[in-house]
Amino acid sequence: MELIETLTQKLGVRFEQARNGAGLLFGTARLRLRKEDFSKVARVVPEIDEILRTAPQSLRTGVRFAGLGSAIGGDGSPANAGATLARGFSRLGMDTRITGDFVSLVLAYLRSRGGEEVGNLLENALK
């Protein structure tokens, strides 16, 4: 799990925090991107299925509700996606400083393996 190892080494977070934080980001992207766009992201993260599968139920539920809120203009609306992610990272014991670095590292990983287009897909999904 190269991405997870990178996150733990560069941020000093625990393996579970790195994996679950990545699950939060990719789960959000899966809900907010068109299927074909999410497939582009998934192709450059070989371990994405395991990351998504092992994310805690509480994070998956929060992301699912955020997606539903977006559909009806509620809490998960695009203006509140950052707040939803911040709550998820807070549940993982990460503060806002680490959260910003975490997202930046994941985006850099995607861009290095899939190019600007793939990085931009995730970045736009998280806004």
Side-chain angles (χ1 to χ4, degrees):
M1 296 187 102
E2 184 181 354
L3 173 60
I4 305 309
E5 289 175 16
T6 298
L7 292 167
T8 58
Q9 291 172 0
K10 295 201 179 219
L11 298 175
V13 297
R14 294 185 320 274
F15 175 85
E16 293 79 17
Q17 288 176 307
R19 184 189 61 211
N20 294 337
L24 177 61
L25 296 181
F26 293 132
T28 300
R30 185 171 57 182
L31 286 172
R32 297 179 63 113
L33 291 172
R34 295 178 310 176
K35 187 176 182 174
E36 58 271 14
D37 288 338
F38 183 73
S39 292
K40 292 176 184 177
V41 172
R43 275 193 291 263
V44 301
V45 184
E47 63 271 13
I48 199 164
D49 289 333
E50 182 179 348
I51 290 170
L52 289 168
R53 186 179 65 252
T54 59
Q57 179 63 38
S58 62
L59 292 177
R60 290 194 309 262
T61 301
V63 169
R64 223 181 354 262
F65 286 140
L68 176 63
S70 180
I72 61 175
D75 276 345
S77 65
N80 293 318
T84 301
L85 290 171
R87 283 191 302 274
F89 278 104
S90 177
R91 288 183 196 152
L92 294 172
M94 289 188 253
D95 64 28
T96 54
R97 180 193 56 79
I98 290 178
T99 301
D101 293 343
F102 192 102
V103 172
S104 294
L105 283 170
V106 172
L107 290 172
Y109 177 89
L110 287 178
R111 287 185 171 114
S112 72
R113 282 152 184 77
E116 280 299 310
E117 178 190 8
V118 174
N120 290 342
L121 286 171
L122 180 64
E123 185 173 20
N124 290 332
L126 301 178
K127 290 182 180 178

